[in-house]
Amino acid sequence: MFLPRGVLSAFGFAILFHAQVFADNTVTIGVYYETLNPNCSEFFINQLLPAYTRAPGRINVTLVPFGKTVVNSTVPLTFICEHGEKECEGLKIHSCAIALVQDQISLLWLAECTIRNQTLPGARLIECATRLGIEWRPIADCAKTTNGSQLLKVNGDKTKELNPKLKNVPTITLNGTADGVLHE
């Protein structure tokens, strides 16, 4: 029996992923993204969070918010974000949340909720964090300080280390390797 190439490829990837998860018991997924990119939002809402909630003990997620952002100046540390200042604010909020929210499922729910609507990133943080029972004030305070900028720069350094280099967002890595990197 012959299967169409697309079906065979999808089935093959599912088998490889399944084997990897059960062989090592966990898989680490790196997500390199931007907060105002519609492909990133769709990935979080329709793929990442649903997959994680099905196997939370078998998937470790490393979020790296930065994308195609550019460090504009190092003194003071400023950025040019692909989708403007609101995205820079959202990226700092996500960077601070990653540093401050220790529970991975809470972090992923917060990231998914805030990425749905970033027109007012600070207000969205308050709304989502309050609904999820997460203290929003430390995240908001961090995002407004040089600490938020430093955390975002660290994410930029991680993004620059990707090989092959980031071309599209989201970019997904599997177990820290860029071999077979998935680009949305």
Side-chain angles (χ1 to χ4, degrees):
M1 175 177 179
F2 293 100
L3 296 172
R5 187 177 303 221
V7 171
L8 184 59
S9 295
F11 183 74
F13 284 124
I15 294 296
L16 289 173
F17 181 75
H18 180 71
Q20 179 67 41
V21 168
F22 288 101
D24 296 337
N25 201 26
T26 62
V27 64
T28 299
I29 298 171
V31 182
Y32 296 77
Y33 68 99
E34 296 170 348
T35 57
L36 284 179
N37 182 291
N39 292 332
C40 296
S41 178
E42 187 174 312
F43 175 77
F44 269 82
I45 296 164
N46 297 321
Q47 295 178 40
L48 180 62
L49 196 56
Y52 184 84
T53 57
R54 287 186 186 104
R58 298 211 162 129
I59 302 172
N60 292 320
V61 179
T62 302
L63 299 178
V64 186
F66 190 82
K68 297 178 184 178
T69 297
V70 175
V71 176
N72 186 42
S73 168
T74 55
V75 180
L77 190 54
T78 60
F79 304 91
I80 299 173
C81 297
E82 188 171 32
H83 301 98
E85 284 303 311
K86 294 291 182 197
E87 183 162 68
C88 286
E89 183 182 353
L91 291 169
K92 289 177 187 178
I93 287 170
H94 277 230
S95 296
C96 290
I98 292 163
L100 296 170
V101 178
Q102 300 303 309
D103 177 55
Q104 184 156 44
I105 190 65
S106 296
L107 174 63
L108 291 175
W109 278 110
L110 180 63
E112 186 268 349
C113 181
T114 58
I115 207 168
R116 283 179 179 267
N117 179 356
Q118 286 281 311
T119 55
L120 297 171
R124 189 68 177 165
L125 167 66
I126 294 168
E127 176 187 332
C128 294
T130 300
R131 186 173 41 189
L132 294 166
I134 297 170
E135 292 184 51
W136 61 266
R137 198 172 309 276
I139 298 168
D141 291 346
C142 168
K144 293 176 186 171
T145 67
T146 57
N147 191 32
S149 295
Q150 287 294 331
L151 290 169
L152 182 56
K153 183 180 180 313
V154 168
N155 288 332
D157 295 342
K158 289 178 188 176
T159 301
K160 287 182 178 122
E161 291 172 4
L162 278 173
N163 186 14
K165 299 288 184 201
L166 181 128
K167 291 181 184 174
N168 298 305
V169 288
T171 291
I172 313 303
T173 61
L174 183 62
N175 288 336
T177 182
D179 293 339
V181 169
L182 303 175
H183 300 280
E184 187 67 22

